[in-house]
């Protein structure tokens, strides 16, 4: 019985590593360079400006918004809600390295 449990645990561990490498948080073939000058576009339904950015390793929604604005222009909860409106099928805490997402731009930064 002990050997069977060890074998099942081993198979489960292999599955976890396989899943992580294919669709989880560990990025094997992720590009490290991101676009330096993202293009600004607008949403037709809400007319809120946004920019598209490819995620590099170690970046989060908050770090990207902070890079774009040099500080948080609105509360963090509002940034999360705006990001999820622009990317309806993605939660703010589940972004993946190498994929491109839309990030909100706020009026203070757009006007300057």
């Amino acid at each position: 019985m002990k050997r069977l449990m060890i074998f099942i645990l081993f198979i489960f561990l292999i599955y976890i590593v396989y899943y992580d490498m294919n669709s989880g948080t560990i990025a094997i073939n992720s590009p490290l360079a991101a676009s330096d000058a993202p293009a600004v576009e607008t949403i037709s339904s809400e007319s809120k400006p946004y920019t598209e950015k490819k995620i590099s390793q170690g970046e989060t929604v908050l770090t990207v918004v902070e890079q774009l604005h040099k500080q948080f222009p609105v509360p963090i909860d509002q940034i999360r809600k705006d990001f999820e409106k622009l990317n309806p099928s993605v939660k703010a805490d589940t972004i993946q390295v190498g994929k491109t997402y839309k990030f909100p731009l706020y009026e203070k930064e757009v006007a300057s």
Side-chain angles (χ1 to χ4, degrees):
M1 187 69 167
K2 188 176 181 181
R3 288 183 183 174
L4 178 63
M5 292 303 289
I6 292 172
F7 178 73
I8 291 172
L9 182 63
F10 180 72
I11 295 298
F12 184 65
L13 182 64
I14 288 174
Y15 173 75
I16 290 172
V17 170
Y18 172 79
Y19 181 81
D20 246 1
M21 293 183 135
N22 284 324
S23 61
T25 57
I26 299 175
I28 296 172
N29 296 327
S30 65
L32 294 178
S35 140
D36 291 333
V40 175
E41 302 174 20
T42 58
I43 304 171
S44 59
S45 63
E46 297 179 16
S47 69
K48 280 193 170 192
Y50 69 88
T51 185
E52 291 187 359
K53 184 170 185 336
K54 192 171 189 177
I55 299 299
S56 298
Q57 198 160 11
E59 288 184 322
T60 65
V61 172
L62 294 177
T63 59
V64 171
V65 170
E66 189 175 24
Q67 289 171 0
L68 292 171
H69 296 283
K70 309 297 182 231
Q71 61 181 348
F72 295 124
V74 295
I76 293 173
D77 192 44
Q78 184 64 40
I79 293 171
R80 183 188 54 82
K81 287 178 185 176
D82 292 341
F83 175 82
E84 291 175 358
K85 279 183 188 177
L86 290 171
N87 305 283
S89 61
V90 179
K91 294 288 184 188
D93 58 346
T94 61
I95 61 174
Q96 294 181 346
V97 174
K99 293 194 176 183
T100 302
Y101 298 101
K102 297 174 184 174
F103 290 90
L105 293 175
Y106 298 97
E107 294 300 320
K108 293 178 185 175
E109 189 69 16
V110 174
S112 60

